Amino acid sequence: VPNAGQICTHTTPRLANDYYNEVPYVRVFTDGSVLFPDSLTCATGGWAVYYGPAHPNNHSDGLRSVHSSSFRAEARAVLHAMLHAACHTLICTDCKGVIRWCHRQQDEQSRATTRMGISRKYIANLIRQQPCDWFKFNWVPSHLEDPRSTNGR
């Protein structure tokens, strides 16, 4: 649970804002990754949130999960961004699966919580507790600086 100094609002210094229908949204980027994802014994993951250069709310951590996967790491990063949001927040991630899942949770017809991991249950509950436009989830292409990447080109 974040302390008061870790909560992001529109008045938090050095945050980028995007506007939707004249409503400001704090922009945060999230990412997750797993090393050796096919190994049951060696798979290890991590995740991060990024608000801007040297921003005090930037954060990264290891994925504490017996079953590490890229989706779980990405979902954990999204959860962290949501827990630290005290205003409209635009969450940008490169995981289309997490984005699609979050959009389904925002859809009134899709509220099933069976077979969810703990991060996804928390995300679903946070989405339900906030006004429908509190969080926006956008996909962003990854690895744009890698010359071998064709994402976003």
Side-chain angles (χ1 to χ4, degrees):
V1 177
N3 65 43
Q6 297 171 318
I7 299 296
C8 291
T9 68
H10 296 297
T11 60
T12 303
R14 300 188 339 253
L15 286 181
N17 286 316
D18 289 319
Y19 288 82
Y20 293 91
N21 298 324
E22 299 182 22
V23 176
Y25 281 75
V26 168
R27 184 185 333 127
V28 58
F29 293 90
T30 66
D31 200 10
S33 185
V34 173
L35 186 63
F36 307 118
D38 296 327
S39 171
L40 293 175
T41 56
C42 295
T44 194
W47 56 270
V49 296
Y50 178 80
Y51 291 91
H55 197 277
N57 287 37
N58 292 345
H59 186 78
S60 63
D61 203 350
L63 182 63
R64 295 176 180 90
S65 174
V66 176
H67 305 289
S68 294
S69 71
S70 180
F71 186 94
R72 287 177 187 220
E74 298 276 1
R76 181 60 185 89
V78 167
L79 173 61
H80 183 88
M82 292 174 75
L83 287 171
H84 289 77
C87 60
H88 290 91
T89 302
L90 171 65
I91 298 173
C92 303
T93 186
D94 63 353
C95 183
K96 287 183 180 179
V98 169
I99 294 294
R100 282 192 297 263
W101 184 84
C102 288
H103 286 163
R104 281 196 308 269
Q105 294 307 305
Q106 288 179 315
D107 178 5
E108 288 297 324
Q109 280 76 42
S110 177
R111 296 295 181 128
T113 57
T114 57
R115 296 177 20 109
M116 285 187 196
I118 193 74
S119 290
R120 293 196 331 179
K121 284 183 183 177
Y122 280 123
I123 290 170
N125 287 331
L126 286 168
I127 288 172
R128 289 180 194 133
Q129 292 169 5
Q130 302 298 340
C132 64
D133 65 341
W134 191 257
F135 297 110
K136 289 200 177 293
F137 302 94
N138 281 357
W139 175 77
V140 292
S142 62
H143 307 285
L144 290 176
E145 294 178 351
D146 186 341
R148 298 169 292 171
S149 175
T150 58
N151 282 339
R153 293 187 186 163

